[in-house]
Amino acid sequence: MGDVEASSANPKRAQGRLCSICGAKRPALKRPKTLEEICRECFYNVFEDEIHKVIVENNLFKCGERVAIGASGGKDSTVLAYVLSELNRRHSYGLDLFLLSVDEGITGYRDDSLETVKRNEIQYGLPLKIVSYKDLYGWTMDEIVKAIGLKNNCTFCGVFRRQALDRGAALLKADKLVTGHNADDIAETVLLNILRGDIARLSRCTYITTGEDGPIPRCKPFKYTYEKEIVMYAYFKKLDYFSTECIYSPNAYRGFAREFIKDLERIRPRAILDIIRSGENFRISTFTRMPEQGTCKRCGYISSQKLCKACLLLEGLNRGLPKLGIGRTKGHNGVNKDDEQQKISHSREKGSSLQSKQCGTLDF
Ligand code: SF4
Ligand code: ZN
Ligand code: ZN
C-alpha cells in the first residue's frame, strides 16, 4: 500500500486546510489524477461519479441487459464489480450482473485468487461462473508450461483466455462482458503499439467497446480511471482482493513501457490521459486491408482464418508440436507469414490487442 500512503495528503501540511471539494472536512488524500487534496467521502464520490459519467456518455449498457464482469480476484476487477453493483443500484441501470472467472489451472496463483472471487460472490451478492482451461481445452496452464517451458506461455494463455471469457459469457447468456482494464493499461498499450509500429491496432486499442460485430461486445468502464485511484479506493473501502503476480509472468517489454508511464505520471499526472487521447486521434489509412470475418471450421469461434488461433495452438499441443500455432514461416517475399496472419487476425477481431496482452499483474 506504499502508493496509497505516498499519495495521501501530508497530515502536517494539511492541518488547517480543508477538502478542496466540499470545503468542510479535513483532506485525507491527494488525488493522483488531479493532485487535489480531498476528504475520503469526496474521493468516493468523484471516483464513482466519473465512472458513472463514462458509462452514460458512452451508452455502455441498456436497461435489462445481462452483464458478465470478468473477475480475476485482482484489484481492478474487484473494484469494478463493487462499483458497478453500487452504480447499478444507485442509478437504476436495470442490469443483471454476474461474475465470470477463468481458471487457467495455475497452482499457487489462480487457485488462490479464485478463492477471493468466491468470497466476492457472497460479499456483493453476484452469481459466479467459473470456466476452466482444463474443461474447455483439456490442458491446464501448469501442464502447458510443463510441455512448452516458460517461453510463449502467455501467448497460449492470452488466446485461450479471450475465448474462454466469450464462452463463459455465452453460458451466462450475457449481452455484454466488462473488463477491469484501466487508464494506465490503455496508455501502456497505446505506447506498445507505437513502439511496435502497429498502427492498425493503435487507434483500436483505445475503443471503450469492442467486438460489437462478434458474439459478445466487451466494454472497459475504467478506461479513464487511474490505477493508483483504483488501489486507493480498494484500500480505503477495505475491499477483499488478491495481489500476487502470476508465477509464470514474464518480465518483458511491457514492464518497461509500464515503468515509463509511471515515471511520466510522477512528473505530470495528465500524461496518462494525454497518451490515451493521442491513441484515440490516430487514424488508420484507408488503404489498410481489413480481412473478411468468418468462423473457425473446428469450434465455430470468430476467426479470419480457417482455424482460429486457439484451435491452432491446441492442435500443436495435442500433437506434441507446441510451436505449431506460433511457428514462424517465411512468405515468398521474406515477410513473416505468421506475423502477417496474426496482424490480420487482430485487425479482424476488433480491439483484441488489450485482451491479448501478457497480463502479468493485470486483470483481464
Ligand atoms: Fe497467463 Fe497472465 Fe500468467 Fe501469462 S502472466 S501465464 S497470460 S496468467
Ligand atoms: Zn470533501
Ligand atoms: Zn477454433
Side-chain angles (χ1 to χ4, degrees):
M1 284 307 143
D3 269 359
V4 174
E5 280 149 15
S7 309
S8 294
N10 181 331
K12 263 191 194 150
R13 273 193 311 150
Q15 254 178 20
R17 250 183 282 156
L18 293 171
C19 165
S20 64
I21 295 181
C22 66
K25 291 197 182 128
R26 294 256 175 265
L29 57 104
K30 189 185 262 183
R31 194 178 174 202
K33 201 170 189 174
T34 58
L35 303 183
E36 293 168 292
E37 292 186 354
I38 56 178
C39 71
R40 224 180 257 206
E41 287 67 29
C42 286
F43 172 61
Y44 296 154
N45 288 340
V46 284
F47 182 89
E48 292 161 5
D49 286 352
E50 278 182 14
I51 296 160
H52 171 60
K53 210 165 150 228
V54 167
I55 290 173
V56 172
E57 283 177 357
N58 294 279
N59 295 314
L60 292 194
F61 311 115
K62 288 194 201 82
C63 184
E65 277 185 335
R66 293 168 68 86
V67 176
I69 303 166
S72 67
K75 62 182 184 341
D76 298 304
S77 59
T78 302
V79 173
L80 181 61
Y82 177 84
V83 170
L84 213 50
S85 26
E86 286 293 309
L87 295 177
N88 191 31
R89 251 192 306 272
R90 192 179 307 157
H91 299 287
S92 308
Y93 290 166
L95 304 176
D96 270 337
L97 299 174
F98 301 87
L99 296 173
L100 172 59
S101 292
V102 176
D103 181 1
E104 297 96 342
I106 303 175
T107 313
Y109 168 63
R110 187 55 82 211
D111 44 359
D112 291 345
S113 63
L114 283 176
E115 289 309 311
T116 312
V117 186
K118 285 177 194 163
R119 289 196 299 275
N120 294 159
E121 176 187 20
I122 299 160
Q123 289 154 351
Y124 310 150
L126 302 175
L128 165 67
K129 172 93 200 147
I130 301 176
V131 286
S132 76
Y133 285 4
K134 187 70 178 172
D135 289 346
L136 293 176
Y137 309 111
W139 290 78
T140 63
M141 271 314 289
D142 286 339
E143 290 164 347
I144 293 174
V145 168
K146 226 179 242 163
I148 68 162
L150 276 171
K151 212 175 159 217
N152 298 318
N153 55 300
C154 293
T155 303
F156 282 84
C157 194
V159 170
F160 287 169
R161 180 185 300 117
R162 176 169 175 73
Q163 201 184 81
L165 279 171
D166 275 344
R167 292 209 201 171
L171 289 172
L172 286 170
K173 296 190 171 49
D175 301 293
K176 296 262 165 65
L177 175 64
V178 291
T179 58
H181 292 106
N182 60 45
D184 301 50
D185 297 335
I186 296 169
E188 185 185 305
T189 307
V190 168
L191 195 64
L192 281 174
N193 284 331
I194 292 172
L195 294 174
R196 291 177 183 136
D198 196 341
I199 303 302
R201 289 164 74 180
L202 187 53
S203 58
R204 273 198 313 279
C205 73
T206 60
Y207 290 175
I208 193 158
T209 300
T210 56
E212 282 164 299
D213 53 349
I216 292 155
R218 293 176 178 226
C219 315
K220 299 183 276 279
F222 283 174
K223 179 179 169 186
Y224 300 108
T225 308
Y226 278 32
E227 187 167 83
K228 277 187 183 165
E229 299 205 349
I230 292 172
V231 175
M232 267 186 173
Y233 187 90
Y235 175 75
F236 285 127
K237 287 266 183 185
K238 298 191 172 49
L239 299 186
D240 183 6
Y241 69 92
F242 183 81
S243 52
T244 305
E245 249 188 69
C246 171
I247 50 170
Y248 303 138
S249 169
N251 182 14
Y253 211 43
R254 185 173 274 275
F256 292 109
R258 173 145 288 240
E259 277 313 304
F260 177 60
I261 286 174
K262 292 261 177 272
D263 286 346
L264 291 177
E265 186 195 6
R266 262 189 286 277
I267 302 164
R268 190 165 160 273
R270 266 205 66 84
I272 292 178
L273 291 178
D274 288 342
I275 294 171
I276 297 176
R277 203 68 69 200
S278 301
E280 284 171 339
N281 289 321
F282 272 99
R283 293 282 169 269
I284 314 173
S285 148
T286 48
F287 298 113
T288 305
R289 189 166 59 94
M290 303 301 268
E292 300 266 313
Q293 175 168 326
T295 47
C296 170
K297 296 270 176 300
R298 191 165 295 165
C299 72
Y301 185 73
I302 181 171
S303 173
S304 58
Q305 311 296 321
K306 226 161 79 184
L307 287 187
C308 73
K309 190 80 176 162
C311 283
L312 209 58
L313 289 171
L314 197 55
E315 188 175 320
L317 279 174
N318 291 333
R319 286 173 52 194
L321 303 164
K323 293 215 170 113
L324 193 70
I326 36 179
R328 305 202 162 245
T329 38
K330 295 274 179 196
H332 65 276
N333 55 0
V335 173
N336 186 318
K337 268 168 54 184
D338 188 63
D339 281 355
E340 235 184 3
Q341 188 167 342
Q342 225 176 322
K343 245 181 222 170
I344 292 169
S345 117
H346 278 303
S347 314
R348 272 282 298 91
E349 295 159 16
K350 279 191 178 178
S352 62
S353 52
L354 265 178
Q355 286 78 15
S356 65
K357 72 187 176 185
Q358 302 185 346
C359 68
T361 58
L362 302 173
D363 283 1
F364 43 74

